[in-house]
Amino acid sequence: MFLACFHDYRPFLTPGERGTVLVIASDRKQARIILRYIRALLNQVPMLTRMIQRETAEGFDLTNQVTIEVGTASFRSVRVTR
């Protein structure tokens, strides 16, 4: 969350591109809980509230061209290499 809100990724992004911070939850129930925590933090801190550009069902688009998304763990979509 800190890196999504306070780090400037714009020098690394092309025009129209958004950086994405993906928060992985073990299932849909946990994903909803995490999303509520993120929403509460963003809405209770005035400086962070001003950063919210758009809220979606899966996350938030911030004014610094970063999207915070919450997803569920799936062997089809998320890979961890060892």
Side-chain angles (χ1 to χ4, degrees):
M1 181 86 174
F2 175 82
L3 290 174
C5 294
F6 297 109
H7 186 74
D8 186 12
Y9 295 99
R10 288 177 281 199
F12 308 104
L13 302 172
T14 60
E17 184 180 16
R18 297 191 68 84
T20 302
V21 174
L22 183 61
V23 180
I24 305 293
S26 61
D27 56 27
R28 293 175 62 98
K29 183 178 179 181
Q30 188 181 49
R32 282 192 304 270
I33 292 168
I34 292 169
L35 192 60
R36 285 188 210 125
Y37 280 122
I38 294 170
R39 181 181 298 116
L41 182 61
L42 289 175
N43 286 319
Q44 289 185 2
V45 178
M47 180 176 69
L48 299 179
T49 301
R50 291 188 294 270
M51 292 185 71
I52 300 172
Q53 188 173 28
R54 183 173 70 115
E55 182 177 350
T56 66
E58 294 86 25
F60 296 87
D61 289 342
L62 304 178
T63 57
N64 63 349
Q65 289 183 264
V66 173
T67 298
I68 301 173
E69 289 184 357
V70 178
T72 56
S74 167
F75 69 93
R76 289 188 174 104
S77 63
V78 177
R79 294 221 160 172
V80 176
T81 57
R82 294 179 196 256

